[in-house]
Amino acid sequence: EGGPAAGEHTSAAYPRPTPSERDGVRRWESGEGTAVIAVEARPGPCTTGGRSYPDQVKVYLSGRMLEGCGGQEIVQGRAG
């Protein structure tokens, strides 16, 4: 009650902050109170679904942590 109906998507917009960097880890944090999102990007190879990316990423939102890959996809064999 008072929340979205089953299967209904909700969205939120956060101001885009400038990242801070410590020990090679970039961190973005935006929001206030209980509506805070934080993203950490650590350099290092990350592969998912057969695709490779330059960063390992963690996203923190509403007490949950999600992990994945980030940055521009690394395409093997592409001439630069």
Side-chain angles (χ1 to χ4, degrees), residues 5-69:
E8 183 180 333
H9 295 281
T10 59
S11 65
Y14 293 89
R16 184 175 181 175
T18 301
S20 60
E21 188 167 337
R22 183 175 180 182
D23 298 327
V25 177
R26 293 182 317 266
R27 182 178 173 88
W28 295 260
E29 190 170 309
S30 186
E32 57 186 45
T34 59
V36 175
I37 185 170
V39 178
E40 290 181 352
R42 299 174 187 280
C46 188
T47 303
T48 184
R51 294 179 171 183
S52 296
Y53 299 87
D55 296 319
Q56 300 168 9
V57 177
K58 291 183 180 179
V59 177
Y60 301 90
L61 178 64
S62 300
R64 294 177 43 197
M65 192 253 314
L66 305 169
E67 294 183 275
C69 299

